[in-house]
Structures are given as structure tokens and as C-alpha cells.
Amino acid sequence: SQKIEQNSEALNIQEGKTATLTCNYTNYSPAYLQWYRQDPGRGPVFLLLIRENEKEKRKERLKVTFDTTLKQSLFHITASQPADSATYLCALGSWGKFQFGAGTQVVVTP
Amino acid sequence: GAVVSQHPSRVICKSGTSVKIECRSLDFQATTMFWYRQFPKQSLMLMATSNEGSKATYEQGVEKDKFLINHASLTLSTLTVTSAHPEDSSFYICSAAGDRGSSEQYFGPGTRLTVT
């Protein structure tokens, strides 16, 4: 069955450092992969989308890589700030349907 | 980005009653809307996909008679939890996409349902 794995342990990081999150998947060939931010009690907010034929995408302090051979995506937050503290979800999609990972909580301390 | 609203944001109801949750796309026409459920510290689980003017497609294990979905217009979809039970207590989130098969979806803020 399809499976998406994100590190369940919270990532504690000091302000200014780079946070790196991992999303691994099995039994899936997604057309694209997305990363979302979710704050407690709120709906997810879209951050980045990367397609199967793309290796890397950047947006401001965010960078996403997508390795379809390893079946893995890495999500980087550079120069992290306390305001970046949230849970980050990866989602795999094909033809408009999405499957989400459970998310990794990031805590950025001053 | 596009704005999607949900109402109510929180609802508490008694066991056996029905609850309706509205999902609206405020500034675009949503051909497709998705309904998810999320339990604490777990991933979003897709419940159903609804396309405007047609019946919703439910995911395996989701009871269509219990979770009634109506996508009557391009800006509104409703989820009705019928005869709610405490195990239905969860965070319900809708999302909207502009086109069928679109890679972009926009999420509502979610509705916290508590069944006592």
C-alpha cells in the first residue's frame, strides 16, 4: 500500500540555522509533491510544489528537492526564524488527488 | 493565493444530532472540492472528492450515508455529519481546486467538531 513517511519527532533548531525535513514515500509514483505549513487548529497553507521532472525548487528562504529514484523529498528552511515554528506536511499528488504525510513539527528557538 | 472559508470554525453537538459544515471559495470558482478529516498528530485523511453538480466520490471506508456532501455551486460545498457520535469528533478541513486534476488546492481554516 502507499505510504508517506515524515519524521514524527519534532525538529528543534536554533534561530538562523537551516532546518531540513524529509519526506519518503513507497508504492507511489506521484506527478508532483507539495509542502504545506500547518499551525495548531488551522488548515494547511500551501508553500511549494515540485513536479516529477523537477529536481529543485526555491521560494525565498525555502528550498525543496525531489528525487524520484530515492522516492524522497527534502525541505529546507534557511535562516530559520521563530515565526517558522509550525508543522510541515508533505503531500503527494496525481490527477488532483493528494495523500498527506503526518507532518514534522519544527520549533525554532531564539 | 485563493481564499477558502469554512463555517462554523467550532461546533459542539450532542450525540445523535446532525451537523452541517460549509466550505466556500471566496474569490474563484472551485470545480472540485475535497473534504479531509484530521485526528491529533495525524495526517489529513481524504474523505471524499466532490465535483460541482455531480455526486461525491468517497474514499474507501468512508460511509456516504453518514457524511453527506453537496457541491451545489462552484463556490459552495457542504458536509453534513448525520447522527453524529463521539468518535466523529475531529478536525474537518475542506480544500478547493479550480480545475479537475489541478495540482493546486487551497485549504479552508478547518472546523473542530466535538460530539458529546
Side-chain angles (χ1 to χ4, degrees), chain A residues 74-88:
Chain A
L74 298 179
F75 177 78
H76 306 272
I77 307 172
T78 59
S80 59
Q81 303 168 359
D84 295 327
S85 298
T87 296
Y88 292 86

Side-chain angles (χ1 to χ4, degrees), chain B residues 2 9 11 15 20 31 35 41 46 49 53 64 69 82-83 89-90 108 110 113-114:
Chain B
S9 58
V11 57
S15 188
K20 181 185 282 189
T31 305
W35 285 96
K41 296 195 182 298
L46 179 64
T49 303
K64 62 179 181 181
I69 292 173
T82 62
S83 187
S89 299
S90 187
L113 170 63
T114 303

